[in-house]
Amino acid sequence: MPSDLSPIDKAKFVAAKQATTYVQSGMKVGLGTGSTAAWLVRCLGEMVRDEGLRIKGVPTSTRTAELARGAGIEVISLDEAKWLDLTIDGADEYDGDLNLIKGGGGALLQEKIVATASDQMVVIADVSKQVETLGAFPLPVEVIPFGWQTTKTLIEESLIGMDVLGNTTSLRMNGETPFVTDEGNHILDLHLHRIGNARQLSLVINQIPGVVENGLFIDICDSVVIGYGDGRVEVRDITNGTTDEKTFDFLDEDNLFSDIAD
């Protein structure tokens, strides 16, 4: 691992590297989407090539599927896998109870389906994603294209009675056109600033016609692996109530990871 990585890239790498300890040969593993999850895929690919690791990966986006195949990981669909041993994914925010906001990369629907079809979900993140209360990161909501403006209005009206600080909603764009998810839907980003009752908000939003799913992951994550820019990594297990820490040393070596960017 090169020593000239930025602190944020070091943090993402050590989190991903530590998370590979959860993976054993023969497992069916959900592979997350995003810059931190990309480090994980490359780490697992190296283990497949150099250590004989045998796994079947279920990607949560077309981007992750392409990366996994390129890394030498066998890719299968969730329908083929039926159930997974483990999912490892990133997060845009996590709180002390390991509730999450996900969907900054636009893959929240597949990410939530894969995570809930797993015996265990492990989140990998740098320490900047830790918050006391969810909501600083805009909450993504996936909606069908038909009548999306009506759905947007209904969401904004529902926020009036919620324990949130903001109620601005925007359609996510990809240049001059609306962003389109792998499932052909749009994403509305809810700028709430603070979410006082995430469970209630999730239930209310998902009852609105046109909403497919929201980016609140409640009671899904079992552990979070937190990377720091100095090479430290912390593992918090919500089930056992334990916290462990270790430090990785960074050496000047050629590796597969130098081409990964945010």
Side-chain angles (χ1 to χ4, degrees):
M1 191 67 195
S3 59
D4 59 351
L5 284 180
S6 68
I8 190 67
D9 282 336
K10 284 185 180 180
K12 292 177 180 181
F13 170 75
V14 295
K17 188 68 173 177
Q18 179 63 28
T20 63
T21 63
Y22 288 88
V23 181
Q24 300 177 13
S25 278
M27 279 188 168
K28 291 176 284 187
V29 182
L31 303 174
T33 296
S35 60
T36 310
W39 288 99
L40 171 78
V41 172
R42 292 300 183 90
C43 288
L44 291 175
E46 185 180 57
M47 294 169 66
V48 167
R49 187 191 69 241
D50 297 342
E51 302 175 21
L53 179 70
R54 295 177 296 100
I55 61 171
K56 295 181 179 180
V58 175
T60 54
S61 67
T62 55
R63 301 193 305 278
T64 298
E66 292 171 359
L67 183 60
R69 290 190 183 98
I73 298 172
E74 181 182 354
V75 171
I76 62 173
S77 69
L78 183 58
D79 287 335
E80 291 174 290
K82 296 183 174 61
W83 194 259
L84 305 179
D85 299 286
L86 171 70
T87 288
I88 304 176
D89 203 349
D92 298 302
E93 283 187 348
Y94 64 91
D95 65 15
D97 295 321
L98 303 194
N99 294 315
L100 321 170
I101 286 182
K102 288 179 54 56
L108 69 95
L109 177 58
Q110 291 189 22
E111 288 173 336
K112 187 174 281 191
I113 293 172
V114 169
T116 54
S118 306
D119 287 335
Q120 185 179 17
M121 182 192 186
V122 175
V123 161
I124 49 177
D126 62 85
V127 69
S128 69
K129 304 301 174 60
Q130 179 178 334
V131 296
E132 289 190 13
T133 305
L134 298 176
F137 190 91
L139 175 64
V141 178
E142 187 158 341
V143 300
I144 65 171
F146 176 80
W148 71 265
Q149 295 189 58
T150 299
T151 304
K152 178 177 180 290
T153 299
L154 291 172
I155 290 174
E156 291 172 342
E157 289 178 351
S158 73
L159 293 175
I160 295 173
M162 295 289 102
D163 185 7
V164 296
L165 290 183
N167 58 7
T168 304
T169 303
S170 59
L171 177 68
R172 188 177 297 185
M173 302 295 289
N174 181 17
E176 299 297 320
T177 60
F179 176 86
V180 178
T181 70
D182 281 352
E183 301 302 318
N185 298 316
H186 295 330
I187 287 184
L188 297 174
D189 288 310
L190 280 54
H191 304 271
L192 307 177
H193 307 299
R194 177 186 175 277
I195 300 172
N197 190 331
R199 190 184 307 275
Q200 179 189 44
L201 180 63
S202 179
L203 291 172
V204 169
I205 289 175
N206 278 6
Q207 291 177 16
I208 296 173
V211 170
V212 181
E213 188 53 81
N214 72 81
L216 287 167
F217 284 51
I218 310 297
D219 298 332
I220 296 176
C221 175
D222 298 288
S223 302
V224 60
V225 182
I226 308 160
Y228 293 81
D230 60 2
R232 287 182 297 126
V233 62
E234 183 179 311
V235 180
R236 298 179 189 171
D237 188 317
I238 194 73
T239 302
N240 299 325
T242 58
T243 300
D244 298 309
E245 186 174 306
K246 69 177 293 185
T247 300
F248 284 87
D249 292 325
F250 289 90
L251 305 175
D252 289 310
E253 297 175 348
D254 292 332
N255 66 92
L256 290 175
F257 311 116
S258 59
D259 60 339
I260 295 182
D262 291 345

